[in-house]
Amino acid sequence: MTTIGFLGAGRMGTALVAALCRTGRTVHVWNRTAEKAQALAAFGARPERTPEAAVAAADIVMVNLLDYVASDALFQRPEVTEALKGRLLVQ
């Protein structure tokens, strides 16, 4: 089964992660506010300490950040760029 890496756990991200978990998907989630990612463990998500950890654990990476500026800043990090290689990115 496909594993999802999810970046961003705001209101929309929380709803999407919960829905994905209900389908039985394995979802690794990161949020810059760690408590938001931790709260999603109640749905079965696996909180990660870093975005690159969430990406590296996944086949598909879903990004639900505030805007493209926030996404671009994250994607400029070399460790995130490296972890994304070979993965499908949905933004």
Side-chain angles (χ1 to χ4, degrees):
M1 185 173 286
T2 302
T3 301
I4 309 292
F6 205 95
L7 306 178
R11 288 178 20 188
M12 187 183 328
T14 294
L16 291 168
V17 168
L20 289 165
C21 288
R22 281 194 297 273
T23 68
R25 301 272 186 230
T26 300
V27 182
H28 295 263
V29 63
W30 170 84
N31 194 75
R32 92 188 136 115
T33 305
E35 294 80 16
K36 289 184 177 184
Q38 289 292 334
L40 294 173
F43 297 109
R46 298 176 183 183
E48 298 291 350
R49 294 175 55 100
T50 65
E52 54 272 16
V55 169
D59 304 305
I60 297 173
V61 178
M62 299 179 79
V63 180
N64 192 53
L65 299 177
L66 178 63
D67 53 27
Y68 286 113
V69 173
S71 296
D72 186 57
L74 189 67
F75 297 148
Q76 294 299 320
R77 294 176 48 182
E79 56 275 7
V80 174
T81 301
E82 186 63 30
L84 280 168
K85 288 183 180 174
R87 288 166 177 78
L88 175 64
L89 177 64
V90 179
Q91 185 169 2

